[in-house]
Amino acid sequence: MLRTTGAVVAGSVGLAGCGSDGGDGSETEPDAATPAPVTVEMTDGLKFDPATVTVDRGTTVVWETVGSVAHSVTAYADAVPEGAEYFASGDFDEESAARAGYPDGSVGPDERFTHTFAVAGEHEYFCIPHESGMKGTVVAE
């Protein structure tokens, strides 16, 4: 399922290099101004890898569970830059709802969650069940 702000997607997903059919059977080129997606792996070692990524505004970050342990991607509400949209796997609108709703929003094996960062700043996030050590930051420039 794809949503405007984020998604949990099962199975393999081609994220780059796909053009669309312009209605006449011809394919169109992807928009050259759209940054390529950046992937963060969520591991059985209870880590986001890499823990910090720096991206251009407009970049989509893809969190992928690469092991057998389910995780969440949950923004710290007090660490969302002013004007930025809150993000959490499960498309929760706020941190308290994500915490209360877990395990809804968990990203299981071979699943992905995506979010596009439109506002510059440091966006800090964590995994609800593994919060003591599983934290990350997206720096959007």
Side-chain angles (χ1 to χ4, degrees), residues 55-121:
V55 301
D56 292 330
R57 285 181 297 138
T59 299
T60 297
V61 175
V62 179
W63 288 268
E64 178 179 5
T65 299
V66 295
S68 60
V69 177
H71 301 286
S72 76
V73 178
T74 311
Y76 283 110
D78 60 354
V80 174
E82 185 175 337
E85 186 172 17
Y86 181 80
F87 65 97
S89 51
D91 286 335
F92 293 99
D93 292 331
E94 57 187 33
E95 181 182 342
S96 61
R99 287 181 183 274
Y102 192 84
D104 288 347
S106 65
V107 183
D110 298 320
E111 292 182 338
R112 295 164 183 82
F113 168 73
T114 66
H115 180 75
T116 301
F117 290 85
V119 175

Side-chain angles (χ1 to χ4, degrees), residues 13-40:
V13 175
L15 292 172
C18 296
S20 62
D21 184 328
D24 61 2
S26 65
E27 293 209 11
T28 59
E29 291 296 316
D31 183 358
T34 302
V38 172
T39 299
V40 174

